[in-house]
Amino acid sequence: MGKNKKPENNKIFDNFIQPTEADAIMAAGAKMGYQPSEVLDKGHGDWKRSMHRTSSSTHCHASQPCWKVMEPLLTRAFPIVGMGERHAEVQLLEYAEGQYYKSHSDFLGGSENFMAGPRALTLLMYLDDPPEGGETAFPEIGLTVQAKRGRAILWPSALDQNPRVKDTRTKHQALPVLRGGKHAVNIWYYQRDFWEASSKGCMG
Ligand SMILES: O=C(O)CCC(=O)C(=O)O
Ligand SMILES: [Fe+2]
């Protein structure tokens, strides 16, 4: 997360999620339904659909049944992220064949001034095994991670010494799913209390 971050600072945890947990999250996602994913329009500060990101997604909020299946994972992640569930924005992802998310940072432009502060860390978890494609690539650090059921990747989006500043080295992309589909979960950890900020409508 620091200035001299090396590739190994992207941490990979295999078998972070049990198959039954992955199945339960996918079932919760299917029940809630996925909508076309959106990206933040930096110029206007609003969220919109874009050919930059063609996946579908759905948010999982603390008040919803899906949170029950997320809770053990948030507890498990605590020792490695050092932040609890109040910092966490959870989004379930679904990619059909051919879908992707081109190069981006999870650091949101303007988030320096959000009540919750910027997204400091991302924990991405894969729920199934796409037969071909769907890797997550980090071109700046020369790392491509295969989507593998149960695997989690942790990376910083902000600098350790100054979380108001984007860590440009963790720019990444979800490569197109070439065959089959892909399910994953984003947990974006904000520097401060995300629940309080979102309940007050202060997320940008
Ligand atoms: O699906 C992936 O491999 C990465 C997804 C991602 O980067 C995002 O949704 O912000
Ligand atoms: Fe991302």
Side-chain angles (χ1 to χ4, degrees):
M1 199 160 173
K3 212 169 176 187
N4 300 314
K5 185 168 51 58
K6 302 208 173 65
E8 55 270 26
N9 283 36
N10 270 42
K11 297 203 172 72
I12 298 177
F13 304 92
D14 281 336
N15 306 312
F16 184 83
I17 317 177
Q18 299 304 310
T20 49
E21 293 171 327
D23 288 344
I25 299 170
M26 287 191 282
K31 204 163 176 191
M32 289 191 294
Y34 295 90
Q35 298 84 41
S37 300
E38 296 183 330
V39 295
L40 184 62
D41 180 345
K42 288 185 196 108
H44 300 91
D46 52 359
W47 292 88
K48 55 163 203 191
R49 289 173 65 171
S50 163
M51 285 311 287
H52 203 75
R53 184 185 192 194
T54 60
S55 58
S56 298
S57 46
T58 185
H59 270 93
C60 171
H61 298 289
S63 55
Q64 295 172 314
C66 64
W67 200 264
K68 280 272 158 288
V69 289
M70 288 305 302
E71 225 157 18
L73 305 183
L74 290 156
T75 303
R76 197 171 304 153
F78 181 77
I80 58 169
V81 298
M83 285 184 270
E85 58 181 9
R86 294 192 67 95
H87 292 256
E89 177 183 10
V90 175
Q91 189 184 55
L92 313 189
L93 300 170
E94 182 173 71
Y95 296 79
E97 197 167 290
Q99 294 184 337
Y100 57 81
Y101 189 174
K102 289 186 182 171
S103 182
H104 67 281
S105 168
D106 292 342
F107 189 98
L108 301 174
S111 60
E112 305 86 328
N113 303 316
F114 286 3
M115 184 176 166
R119 288 174 177 167
L121 294 170
T122 296
L123 187 65
L124 173 74
M125 300 176 288
Y126 305 110
L127 304 177
D128 53 10
D129 295 298
E132 200 182 345
E135 302 92 341
T136 310
F138 298 81
E140 304 289 321
I141 51 179
L143 178 70
T144 299
V145 181
Q146 197 186 336
K148 187 171 182 290
R149 180 161 152 103
R151 171 177 280 172
I153 328 175
L154 177 68
W155 70 85
S157 294
L159 296 183
D160 238 358
Q161 65 272 40
N162 187 354
R164 292 170 60 89
V165 178
K166 171 161 63 177
D167 189 336
T168 54
R169 282 160 301 186
T170 51
K171 209 165 70 176
H172 55 279
Q173 52 195 297
L175 297 176
V177 174
L178 299 176
R179 203 154 46 86
K182 169 181 164 189
H183 290 88
V185 182
N186 280 312
I187 307 180
W188 292 303
Y189 285 95
Y190 289 78
Q191 189 191 3
R192 294 187 285 275
D193 190 330
F194 170 74
W195 289 9
E196 191 186 354
S198 47
S199 73
K200 291 184 171 153
C202 295
M203 286 312 298

